[in-house]
Each structure stands twice: as C-alpha cells, then as structure tokens.
Amino acid sequence: MVTIRPIGGETPLEFVERADSLKVPEEVTNKVLTDHFGYAEDGEIKKLKLQSKPFWDQFYRDHVEGIFQRGGTRYAALKFVQRKNDYAEEHRRLSEVEVERIVDSAGDWPR
C-alpha cells in the first residue's frame, strides 16, 4: 500500500499535483483529501483533481499515444491537444512548446 501525506503548508491542489506526479493510486489520494483536508463529497474531490496540471499532462500523453498507436498522424494529435488546451483554465493551459513536446513524446511520427 502506498503511503503519502501532505507536507506542512501544502494546499489541497499542491498535494493532488504531487500525488499525480508520483502516480499515487486514486483511492489513496482521495483518502488523504477526506481525512486531512476535510473533503466530504466525491464531486468536490473530482473538481479539485481536474485542476491538476500533472493530471492533464498525463491525459494528453495518453490520448496522443493512442493516436500514435492507431497509426494516426502527428497533425491529428497536435490538433487534439491544441483544441483541448484552448478550453483549459488559465492555470493549467500548456504553452505551444509543451504541446509540441507532448506530441513528440509519442515517438517518430510517420511522414
């Protein structure tokens, strides 16, 4: 069982981002949010987790890798990330360089 605890002065969002970066199981993160930070409802927890930049980075990577594995084009992957990124809240919006890095991280795209 993975153990993770909040670091002194860490906000709930900082904790979630650290947990996401460490790939802590969701159940463990939820338990800490409930026990330590007083989150009572699943909706509150989900809303908080959707603010996590590491969560969205992984979301984009997973989708880009799926496009790559299905033989899709780099252009399609790039457009997917750009389109989703356009609707992102400002604090988790990716720069063009970050978008390019995520798309290129999938591998060598066919030309």
Side-chain angles (χ1 to χ4, degrees):
M1 177 83 166
V2 175
T3 303
I4 186 170
R5 292 189 177 83
I7 298 171
E10 192 172 45
T11 67
L13 180 56
E14 290 169 339
F15 170 76
V16 167
E17 288 183 331
R18 185 166 58 90
D20 285 345
S21 294
L22 297 171
K23 301 193 185 312
V24 173
E26 185 175 2
E27 307 80 46
V28 175
T29 303
N30 291 354
K31 182 150 179 46
V32 173
L33 288 171
T34 302
D35 295 349
H36 184 80
F37 292 107
Y39 280 78
E41 296 179 18
D42 289 339
E44 286 180 306
I45 292 173
K46 184 175 182 176
K47 186 175 179 180
L48 176 66
K49 287 182 175 182
L50 288 175
Q51 296 176 32
S52 169
K53 189 164 176 34
F55 167 82
W56 286 105
D57 288 348
Q58 190 60 51
F59 172 83
Y60 292 136
R61 284 184 200 288
D62 290 346
H63 279 72
V64 165
E65 287 174 10
I67 293 169
F68 181 80
Q69 290 170 355
R70 291 188 305 276
T73 65
R74 183 181 186 280
Y75 178 80
L78 188 63
K79 285 300 173 188
F80 171 82
V81 177
Q82 287 172 338
R83 187 176 64 247
K84 293 293 185 186
N85 193 46
D86 286 345
Y87 293 103
E89 295 176 21
E90 190 169 330
H91 68 275
R92 69 170 176 81
R93 192 166 290 136
L94 302 173
S95 70
E96 274 304 308
V97 171
E98 290 173 309
V99 170
E100 294 277 341
R101 277 193 199 128
I102 287 172
V103 171
D104 290 341
S105 73
D108 291 329
W109 292 90
R111 302 240 172 216

